[in-house]
Amino acid sequence: MADRYFDDFEIGERMVTAGITLTESLIIDFAMRYDPQPFHIDVEAAKASNYGGLIASGFQTLALGFRMVLETGIFRACGMGSPGFDELRWLKPVRPGDTLHSELEVIDKKPSASKPDRGMLRMRYRIRNQRDEDVITFTSMQLTRRRPS
Amino acid sequence: MADRYFDDFEIGERMVTAGITLTESLIIDFAMRYDPQPFHIDVEAAKASNYGGLIASGFQTLALGFRMVLETGIFRACGMGSPGFDELRWLKPVRPGDTLHSELEVIDKKPSASKPDRGMLRMRYRIRNQRDEDVITFTSMQLTRRRPS
């Protein structure tokens, strides 16, 4: 993908990423460090939980959903970080063997009033599974560089 | 800490966690897998970025902030997962050597109308550094088990 800048994003534009399959090993490895709740690290305890089996940490699914977007290259030249996310919802459990991808839509863009080299994108993210069910949705603010003149 | 249930949390109650120091190695290790942007994985590129040096992935700081809360044990007996987070803000960069802790406050609680075994807590999180600056703030919904009768 050619380098993109703030100026190249259009409101209403949509993108779909490639996918990644979350395995039991990846789920437990992440959760042991970052989210050691029984339903993320203990297969037997997870069976007895309200989830009925092992599920991925929502933080892992969130980070992977964003990573898949990074891999498209849309922020490679322009990404300057994010001030925040809104309305983050964990909608469906992610289980070992589930394959995730992300879909995103540009819902707003505003050039910075004070800094002429950058602008803010607002993007709607849907992280979806192999059945095209939303597992996480959120709205992000993404600070992006303007095209160098 | 004795096991806590939905019934034991009080609106206005505050908690402070123990801390953890994020190292350069931990920052790069996480970001290589989950957030491979130059300012998270490449010390030299990070120097030239708008952050002026390597910073931790916001997803890593968020997950660690939550992990420190898990380690207090408040959700050990009652935690049933979270439907979502709102107003997540990445306020300050986290740099190698920074020591983080979390502060949280119960801002609302509601028993489930349909399921008598559980209730929803709304909690305000502040993940703070060694200078007591907020680095991330957000509001979470936390589904919790009621005390078994």
Side-chain angles (χ1 to χ4, degrees):
Chain A
M1 176 183 278
D3 282 350
R4 288 187 137 231
Y5 293 92
F6 172 78
D7 314 81
D8 302 316
F9 290 87
E10 292 180 27
I11 294 172
E13 185 180 357
R14 290 163 184 265
M15 296 150 223
V16 179
T17 72
I20 193 164
T21 304
L22 254 184
T23 63
E24 182 178 283
S25 166
L26 284 167
I27 289 171
I28 294 174
D29 181 63
F30 179 94
M32 276 180 61
R33 288 187 187 210
Y34 291 104
D35 195 353
Q37 297 185 80
F39 42 80
H40 297 319
I41 57 170
D42 177 333
V43 168
E44 300 303 326
K47 282 183 199 164
S49 76
N50 52 317
Y51 296 110
L54 198 76
I55 64 169
S57 166
F59 297 113
Q60 183 177 28
T61 305
L62 176 65
L64 282 177
F66 186 72
R67 192 207 151 117
M68 293 185 285
V69 172
L70 284 182
E71 284 174 345
T72 65
I74 60 168
F75 297 134
R76 189 174 48 225
C78 67
M80 300 176 79
S82 167
F85 288 178
D86 289 292
E87 290 174 59
L88 174 62
R89 293 294 175 272
W90 330 103
L91 297 167
K92 289 260 183 194
V94 173
R95 300 182 188 277
D98 278 357
T99 297
L100 306 174
H101 71 277
S102 292
E103 301 185 11
L104 63 167
E105 179 179 356
V106 181
I107 57 174
D108 197 20
K109 60 181 288 190
K110 285 207 173 66
S112 168
S114 58
K115 295 182 176 167
D117 67 338
R118 64 193 68 179
M120 193 71 75
L121 301 177
R122 187 171 277 274
M123 308 186 88
R124 181 76 184 154
Y125 282 70
R126 296 175 179 279
I127 306 174
R128 311 192 85 180
N129 65 20
Q130 67 276 18
R131 291 178 294 276
D132 278 333
E133 297 165 330
D134 291 339
V135 298
I136 297 182
T137 56
F138 64 96
T139 302
S140 85
M141 292 177 283
Q142 183 71 43
L143 194 61
T144 48
R145 205 167 277 113
R146 302 202 65 160
R147 183 171 287 283
S149 52
Chain B
M1 176 183 278
D3 284 350
R4 287 187 138 232
Y5 293 92
F6 173 78
D7 315 80
D8 302 316
F9 290 86
E10 290 180 26
I11 293 172
E13 184 180 356
R14 290 162 184 266
M15 296 150 225
V16 178
T17 72
I20 193 164
T21 304
L22 253 183
T23 64
E24 183 178 283
S25 166
L26 283 168
I27 289 172
I28 294 174
D29 181 64
F30 180 95
M32 278 179 61
R33 290 187 186 208
Y34 290 104
D35 195 354
Q37 298 186 80
F39 42 80
H40 297 321
I41 58 170
D42 177 333
V43 168
E44 300 303 326
K47 282 183 200 163
S49 76
N50 53 317
Y51 296 110
L54 198 77
I55 64 168
S57 166
F59 297 113
Q60 183 177 27
T61 305
L62 176 65
L64 281 178
F66 186 71
R67 193 209 148 117
M68 292 185 286
V69 172
L70 284 182
E71 284 174 345
T72 64
I74 60 169
F75 297 135
R76 190 176 47 226
C78 66
M80 299 175 79
S82 167
F85 288 179
D86 289 292
E87 291 174 59
L88 174 62
R89 293 294 175 271
W90 330 104
L91 297 167
K92 290 262 183 191
V94 173
R95 299 182 189 279
D98 279 357
T99 298
L100 307 174
H101 71 277
S102 293
E103 300 185 11
L104 63 167
E105 180 179 354
V106 180
I107 58 175
D108 197 20
K109 59 180 288 189
K110 285 208 173 66
S112 167
S114 58
K115 295 181 176 167
D117 66 338
R118 64 193 69 179
M120 192 72 76
L121 301 177
R122 185 171 278 273
M123 307 185 90
R124 181 75 182 155
Y125 282 70
R126 298 174 178 279
I127 305 174
R128 312 191 86 180
N129 65 20
Q130 67 275 17
R131 292 178 294 279
D132 278 332
E133 297 165 332
D134 290 341
V135 300
I136 296 182
T137 56
F138 62 97
T139 301
S140 86
M141 291 176 283
Q142 182 71 45
L143 194 60
T144 48
R145 203 167 278 113
R146 301 203 67 163
R147 183 173 286 282
S149 51

mmCIF file of all heavy atoms in Angstrom, chain B residues 14 16 20 24 36 40 61 76 82 97 100 105 109 111 113 117 122-123 125 128 138-139 141 149:
data_model
loop_
_atom_site.group_PDB
_atom_site.id
_atom_site.type_symbol
_atom_site.label_atom_id
_atom_site.label_comp_id
_atom_site.label_asym_id
_atom_site.label_seq_id
_atom_site.Cartn_x
_atom_site.Cartn_y
_atom_site.Cartn_z
ATOM 1 N N ARG B 14 -12.960 3.671 47.354
ATOM 2 C CA ARG B 14 -11.760 3.811 46.534
ATOM 3 C C ARG B 14 -10.728 2.762 46.904
ATOM 4 O O ARG B 14 -10.654 2.352 48.058
ATOM 5 C CB ARG B 14 -11.105 5.190 46.767
ATOM 6 C CG ARG B 14 -11.897 6.344 46.208
ATOM 7 C CD ARG B 14 -11.439 7.663 46.840
ATOM 8 N NE ARG B 14 -12.260 8.764 46.380
ATOM 9 C CZ ARG B 14 -11.965 9.552 45.332
ATOM 10 N NH1 ARG B 14 -10.831 9.355 44.660
ATOM 11 N NH2 ARG B 14 -12.765 10.539 44.974
ATOM 12 N N VAL B 16 -6.455 1.534 45.968
ATOM 13 C CA VAL B 16 -5.175 1.827 45.326
ATOM 14 C C VAL B 16 -4.387 0.527 45.254
ATOM 15 O O VAL B 16 -4.325 -0.209 46.240
ATOM 16 C CB VAL B 16 -4.389 2.880 46.136
ATOM 17 C CG1 VAL B 16 -3.035 3.159 45.493
ATOM 18 C CG2 VAL B 16 -5.190 4.163 46.283
ATOM 19 N N ILE B 20 4.027 -1.487 39.493
ATOM 20 C CA ILE B 20 4.876 -2.314 38.635
ATOM 21 C C ILE B 20 5.710 -1.363 37.769
ATOM 22 O O ILE B 20 5.221 -0.319 37.346
ATOM 23 C CB ILE B 20 4.028 -3.287 37.786
ATOM 24 C CG1 ILE B 20 4.896 -4.362 37.132
ATOM 25 C CG2 ILE B 20 3.227 -2.569 36.726
ATOM 26 C CD1 ILE B 20 4.084 -5.545 36.611
ATOM 27 N N GLU B 24 12.292 -1.213 29.350
ATOM 28 C CA GLU B 24 12.429 -1.167 27.890
ATOM 29 C C GLU B 24 12.178 -2.543 27.277
ATOM 30 O O GLU B 24 11.514 -2.680 26.243
ATOM 31 C CB GLU B 24 13.835 -0.671 27.533
ATOM 32 C CG GLU B 24 14.062 -0.509 26.038
ATOM 33 C CD GLU B 24 15.460 0.029 25.742
ATOM 34 O OE1 GLU B 24 15.669 1.236 25.926
ATOM 35 O OE2 GLU B 24 16.338 -0.763 25.335
ATOM 36 N N PRO B 36 3.225 -3.106 16.837
ATOM 37 C CA PRO B 36 4.569 -2.810 16.299
ATOM 38 C C PRO B 36 4.664 -1.472 15.561
ATOM 39 O O PRO B 36 5.038 -1.427 14.399
ATOM 40 C CB PRO B 36 4.815 -4.007 15.368
ATOM 41 C CG PRO B 36 3.454 -4.408 14.909
ATOM 42 C CD PRO B 36 2.533 -4.143 16.069
ATOM 43 N N HIS B 40 7.091 2.343 19.528
ATOM 44 C CA HIS B 40 6.993 1.312 20.572
ATOM 45 C C HIS B 40 8.098 0.256 20.472
ATOM 46 O O HIS B 40 8.291 -0.519 21.418
ATOM 47 C CB HIS B 40 5.651 0.568 20.485
ATOM 48 C CG HIS B 40 4.441 1.408 20.727
ATOM 49 N ND1 HIS B 40 4.377 2.404 21.670
ATOM 50 C CD2 HIS B 40 3.211 1.378 20.132
ATOM 51 C CE1 HIS B 40 3.159 2.939 21.652
ATOM 52 N NE2 HIS B 40 2.456 2.356 20.730
ATOM 53 N N THR B 61 -0.130 -0.805 28.685
ATOM 54 C CA THR B 61 -0.375 -0.047 29.920
ATOM 55 C C THR B 61 -1.781 -0.308 30.444
ATOM 56 O O THR B 61 -1.997 -0.480 31.644
ATOM 57 C CB THR B 61 -0.175 1.454 29.656
ATOM 58 O OG1 THR B 61 1.122 1.653 29.104
ATOM 59 C CG2 THR B 61 -0.299 2.254 30.935
ATOM 60 N N ARG B 76 -11.601 -11.715 42.670
ATOM 61 C CA ARG B 76 -11.238 -13.143 42.653
ATOM 62 C C ARG B 76 -12.467 -14.041 42.771
ATOM 63 O O ARG B 76 -12.624 -14.985 42.006
ATOM 64 C CB ARG B 76 -10.256 -13.441 43.787
ATOM 65 C CG ARG B 76 -9.642 -14.836 43.718
ATOM 66 C CD ARG B 76 -8.595 -15.018 44.817
ATOM 67 N NE ARG B 76 -9.126 -14.554 46.091
ATOM 68 C CZ ARG B 76 -8.468 -13.776 46.959
ATOM 69 N NH1 ARG B 76 -7.225 -13.397 46.710
ATOM 70 N NH2 ARG B 76 -9.027 -13.392 48.079
ATOM 71 N N SER B 82 -16.362 -8.277 31.750
ATOM 72 C CA SER B 82 -16.783 -6.888 31.556
ATOM 73 C C SER B 82 -17.479 -6.707 30.214
ATOM 74 O O SER B 82 -16.961 -7.120 29.183
ATOM 75 C CB SER B 82 -15.551 -5.970 31.590
ATOM 76 O OG SER B 82 -15.890 -4.681 31.117
ATOM 77 N N GLY B 97 11.212 2.482 32.584
ATOM 78 C CA GLY B 97 11.554 2.854 33.953
ATOM 79 C C GLY B 97 10.403 3.468 34.724
ATOM 80 O O GLY B 97 10.505 3.625 35.944
ATOM 81 N N LEU B 100 4.073 2.214 37.483
ATOM 82 C CA LEU B 100 2.629 2.470 37.402
ATOM 83 C C LEU B 100 1.882 1.841 38.568
ATOM 84 O O LEU B 100 2.304 0.826 39.099
ATOM 85 C CB LEU B 100 2.073 1.877 36.099
ATOM 86 C CG LEU B 100 2.785 2.307 34.819
ATOM 87 C CD1 LEU B 100 2.231 1.524 33.629
ATOM 88 C CD2 LEU B 100 2.622 3.807 34.601
ATOM 89 N N GLU B 105 -12.378 3.766 41.734
ATOM 90 C CA GLU B 105 -13.487 4.206 42.571
ATOM 91 C C GLU B 105 -14.769 3.577 42.035
ATOM 92 O O GLU B 105 -14.998 3.564 40.818
ATOM 93 C CB GLU B 105 -13.600 5.744 42.509
ATOM 94 C CG GLU B 105 -14.746 6.266 43.359
ATOM 95 C CD GLU B 105 -14.876 7.797 43.329
ATOM 96 O OE1 GLU B 105 -14.013 8.460 42.733
ATOM 97 O OE2 GLU B 105 -15.868 8.292 43.896
ATOM 98 N N LYS B 109 -23.564 1.013 41.097
ATOM 99 C CA LYS B 109 -23.797 -0.436 41.146
ATOM 100 C C LYS B 109 -25.280 -0.699 40.964
ATOM 101 O O LYS B 109 -26.120 0.046 41.478
ATOM 102 C CB LYS B 109 -23.270 -1.042 42.450
ATOM 103 C CG LYS B 109 -23.860 -0.502 43.719
ATOM 104 C CD LYS B 109 -23.269 -1.162 44.970
ATOM 105 C CE LYS B 109 -23.719 -2.584 45.183
ATOM 106 N NZ LYS B 109 -23.292 -3.117 46.505
ATOM 107 N N PRO B 111 -28.012 -4.156 40.738
ATOM 108 C CA PRO B 111 -28.284 -5.594 40.646
ATOM 109 C C PRO B 111 -28.908 -5.899 39.287
ATOM 110 O O PRO B 111 -29.615 -5.059 38.723
ATOM 111 C CB PRO B 111 -29.307 -5.839 41.759
ATOM 112 C CG PRO B 111 -29.405 -4.581 42.546
ATOM 113 C CD PRO B 111 -28.863 -3.470 41.728
ATOM 114 N N ALA B 113 -31.546 -7.090 36.681
ATOM 115 C CA ALA B 113 -33.007 -7.195 36.763
ATOM 116 C C ALA B 113 -33.468 -8.606 36.428
ATOM 117 O O ALA B 113 -34.493 -9.072 36.929
ATOM 118 C CB ALA B 113 -33.647 -6.189 35.811
ATOM 119 N N ASP B 117 -28.325 -13.729 40.470
ATOM 120 C CA ASP B 117 -27.017 -14.116 41.015
ATOM 121 C C ASP B 117 -25.928 -13.091 40.723
ATOM 122 O O ASP B 117 -24.766 -13.323 41.046
ATOM 123 C CB ASP B 117 -26.590 -15.483 40.472
ATOM 124 C CG ASP B 117 -26.324 -15.457 38.964
ATOM 125 O OD1 ASP B 117 -26.849 -14.542 38.279
ATOM 126 O OD2 ASP B 117 -25.599 -16.341 38.471
ATOM 127 N N ARG B 122 -20.027 -0.068 38.110
ATOM 128 C CA ARG B 122 -19.361 0.877 37.212
ATOM 129 C C ARG B 122 -18.205 1.464 38.009
ATOM 130 O O ARG B 122 -18.396 1.929 39.138
ATOM 131 C CB ARG B 122 -20.343 1.941 36.718
ATOM 132 C CG ARG B 122 -19.742 2.891 35.694
ATOM 133 C CD ARG B 122 -20.797 3.788 35.074
ATOM 134 N NE ARG B 122 -21.521 3.139 34.002
ATOM 135 C CZ ARG B 122 -21.121 3.120 32.725
ATOM 136 N NH1 ARG B 122 -20.007 3.716 32.368
ATOM 137 N NH2 ARG B 122 -21.847 2.514 31.810
ATOM 138 N N MET B 123 -17.008 1.398 37.449
ATOM 139 C CA MET B 123 -15.824 1.826 38.186
ATOM 140 C C MET B 123 -14.993 2.783 37.349
ATOM 141 O O MET B 123 -14.846 2.610 36.141
ATOM 142 C CB MET B 123 -14.990 0.606 38.573
ATOM 143 C CG MET B 123 -15.829 -0.440 39.311
ATOM 144 S SD MET B 123 -14.862 -1.848 39.917
ATOM 145 C CE MET B 123 -14.414 -1.227 41.531
ATOM 146 N N TYR B 125 -11.375 4.156 36.622
ATOM 147 C CA TYR B 125 -9.969 3.766 36.753
ATOM 148 C C TYR B 125 -9.063 4.935 36.420
ATOM 149 O O TYR B 125 -9.303 5.649 35.439
ATOM 150 C CB TYR B 125 -9.633 2.645 35.755
ATOM 151 C CG TYR B 125 -10.093 1.270 36.140
ATOM 152 C CD1 TYR B 125 -11.439 0.936 36.139
ATOM 153 C CD2 TYR B 125 -9.173 0.278 36.486
ATOM 154 C CE1 TYR B 125 -11.856 -0.350 36.471
ATOM 155 C CE2 TYR B 125 -9.595 -1.003 36.818
ATOM 156 C CZ TYR B 125 -10.920 -1.306 36.810
ATOM 157 O OH TYR B 125 -11.334 -2.578 37.138
ATOM 158 N N ARG B 128 -1.754 5.505 37.021
ATOM 159 C CA ARG B 128 -0.905 6.659 37.326
ATOM 160 C C ARG B 128 0.565 6.260 37.367
ATOM 161 O O ARG B 128 0.897 5.109 37.634
ATOM 162 C CB ARG B 128 -1.311 7.264 38.674
ATOM 163 C CG ARG B 128 -2.827 7.472 38.793
ATOM 164 C CD ARG B 128 -3.185 8.311 39.997
ATOM 165 N NE ARG B 128 -3.112 9.732 39.645
ATOM 166 C CZ ARG B 128 -3.360 10.725 40.481
ATOM 167 N NH1 ARG B 128 -3.666 10.462 41.750
ATOM 168 N NH2 ARG B 128 -3.270 11.976 40.077
ATOM 169 N N PHE B 138 -10.243 5.620 32.463
ATOM 170 C CA PHE B 138 -11.413 5.069 31.777
ATOM 171 C C PHE B 138 -12.462 4.665 32.804
ATOM 172 O O PHE B 138 -12.191 4.624 34.004
ATOM 173 C CB PHE B 138 -11.042 3.857 30.892
ATOM 174 C CG PHE B 138 -10.479 2.675 31.627
ATOM 175 C CD1 PHE B 138 -11.294 1.614 31.987
ATOM 176 C CD2 PHE B 138 -9.133 2.610 31.958
ATOM 177 C CE1 PHE B 138 -10.775 0.512 32.658
ATOM 178 C CE2 PHE B 138 -8.611 1.519 32.625
ATOM 179 C CZ PHE B 138 -9.436 0.475 32.973
ATOM 180 N N THR B 139 -13.657 4.400 32.307
ATOM 181 C CA THR B 139 -14.729 3.895 33.150
ATOM 182 C C THR B 139 -15.063 2.495 32.678
ATOM 183 O O THR B 139 -15.190 2.265 31.471
ATOM 184 C CB THR B 139 -15.969 4.799 33.021
ATOM 185 O OG1 THR B 139 -15.595 6.114 33.418
ATOM 186 C CG2 THR B 139 -17.091 4.324 33.905
ATOM 187 N N MET B 141 -17.424 -1.192 33.059
ATOM 188 C CA MET B 141 -18.533 -1.949 33.619
ATOM 189 C C MET B 141 -17.968 -3.298 34.009
ATOM 190 O O MET B 141 -17.219 -3.904 33.230
ATOM 191 C CB MET B 141 -19.630 -2.111 32.580
ATOM 192 C CG MET B 141 -20.321 -0.795 32.270
ATOM 193 S SD MET B 141 -21.553 -0.961 30.938
ATOM 194 C CE MET B 141 -20.483 -1.027 29.493
ATOM 195 N N SER B 149 -26.109 -17.213 48.936
ATOM 196 C CA SER B 149 -26.928 -17.175 50.156
ATOM 197 C C SER B 149 -26.871 -18.527 50.854
ATOM 198 O O SER B 149 -26.327 -19.483 50.345
ATOM 199 C CB SER B 149 -28.367 -16.808 49.819
ATOM 200 O OG SER B 149 -28.834 -17.641 48.780
#
